Amino acid sequence: DIQMTQSPSSLSASVGDRVTITCRASQTIGTYLNWYQQKPGKAPKLLIDAASNLQDGVPSRFSGSGSGTDFTLTISSLQPEDFASYYCQQGYSVPWTFGQGTNVEVK
Amino acid sequence: QVQLQQWGAGLLKPSETLSLTCAVYVGSFRDHYWSWIRQPPGKGLEWIGEINHSGSTSYNPSLKSRVTMSVDTSKNQFSLKLTSVTAADTAVYYCAKMPYVWGKGTTVTVSS
């Protein structure tokens, strides 16, 4: 199985901050990397697929980068609605696996 | 846009079988793989497995011995069965057309 390691597991930030979350795969996965946002009591919502492809309707303050084993999700200017949990997921080979999540909290 | 509606028993006793079904509305049922994912309380996401319209499956090795997925193409539905449940199987279970569309989730609690 491909292991996905996210860091940090949690972070505290303020509105307007630039936030960066990293995800590392245990083997190369090309750009088969997805990012989700999850709010309490809700299903995950896809933000970015193929490492950097922003989904329709997702604000442009979200961006993704990386390839191979190292990936980054950046929120350029954190907004109140962005406080949530974020997960990466590799789509390279089954079993599909997720990072352990990053909880973005209010500072 | 594909929509998913899921249902199933929410309270089980240890050793019972979890059974969930997900209906696919709008869009093609035949062109995709359909997944089940779970999330224990306060924890991360775990992919359980996937199935396509012809019944071809892939399961997570960690659950493979207890999981069976099936499909009913006449109803555009797919189902999950997980046998011999324990408290460790307590979780929110999601059906999904990964990574794009997810159901709202079903809370399953295993308790004696």
Side-chain angles (χ1 to χ4, degrees):
Chain A
D1 300 4
I2 298 175
Q3 308 303 315
M4 306 300 294
T5 303
Q6 263 181 257
S7 61
S9 56
S10 66
L11 65 89
S12 298
S14 301
V15 172
D17 285 353
R18 182 181 181 87
V19 169
T20 299
I21 299 168
T22 63
C23 182
R24 175 165 288 177
S26 61
Q27 65 184 73
T28 186
I29 59 170
T31 57
Y32 290 94
L33 191 283
N34 303 314
W35 288 101
Y36 301 87
Q37 177 192 66
Q38 187 179 32
K39 295 184 177 179
K42 300 293 187 182
K45 171 190 173 183
L46 181 67
L47 298 176
I48 290 169
D49 70 352
S52 61
N53 182 43
L54 197 67
Q55 297 301 287
D56 289 345
V58 175
S60 59
R61 62 181 179 273
F62 290 92
S63 64
S65 64
S67 66
T69 61
D70 293 313
F71 302 86
T72 300
L73 173 69
T74 300
I75 309 172
S76 60
S77 178
L78 196 67
Q79 297 302 299
E81 60 268 30
D82 301 337
F83 292 100
S85 295
Y86 294 85
Y87 293 90
C88 61
Q89 175 248 323
Q90 63 84 14
Y92 183 80
S93 67
V94 293
W96 314 128
T97 46
F98 296 84
Q100 77 275 24
T102 296
N103 189 27
V104 177
E105 302 171 328
V106 177
K107 189 171 185 179
Chain B
Q1 171 74 315
V2 170
Q3 297 176 22
L4 303 176
Q5 183 175 359
Q6 59 181 105
W7 64 90
L11 181 60
L12 297 172
K13 290 182 167 51
S15 81
E16 292 185 335
T17 295
L18 178 157
S19 182
L20 299 174
T21 298
C22 185
V24 179
Y25 299 100
V26 184
S28 175
F29 185 73
R30 298 179 64 86
D31 295 340
H32 306 287
Y33 273 84
W34 304 94
S35 288
W36 290 98
I37 303 101
R38 70 180 184 178
Q39 185 172 35
K43 296 189 178 179
L45 298 158
E46 178 181 35
W47 179 78
I48 300 169
E50 65 184 14
I51 189 167
N52 72 357
H53 74 279
S54 65
S56 177
T57 56
S58 292
Y59 297 145
N60 192 321
S62 67
L63 296 167
K64 187 174 183 176
S65 63
R66 298 193 291 130
V67 170
T68 302
M69 294 182 184
S70 60
V71 64
D72 184 340
T73 55
S74 68
K75 296 180 180 178
N76 282 8
Q77 295 176 0
F78 61 105
S79 298
L80 167 70
K81 290 190 186 299
L82 180 68
T83 62
S84 304
V85 297
T86 70
D89 296 309
T90 293
V92 177
Y93 286 75
Y94 296 100
C95 60
K97 177 193 157 187
M98 283 186 69
Y100 301 104
V101 182
W102 292 56
K104 293 185 176 181
T106 299
T107 299
V108 176
T109 302
V110 180
S111 175
S112 56

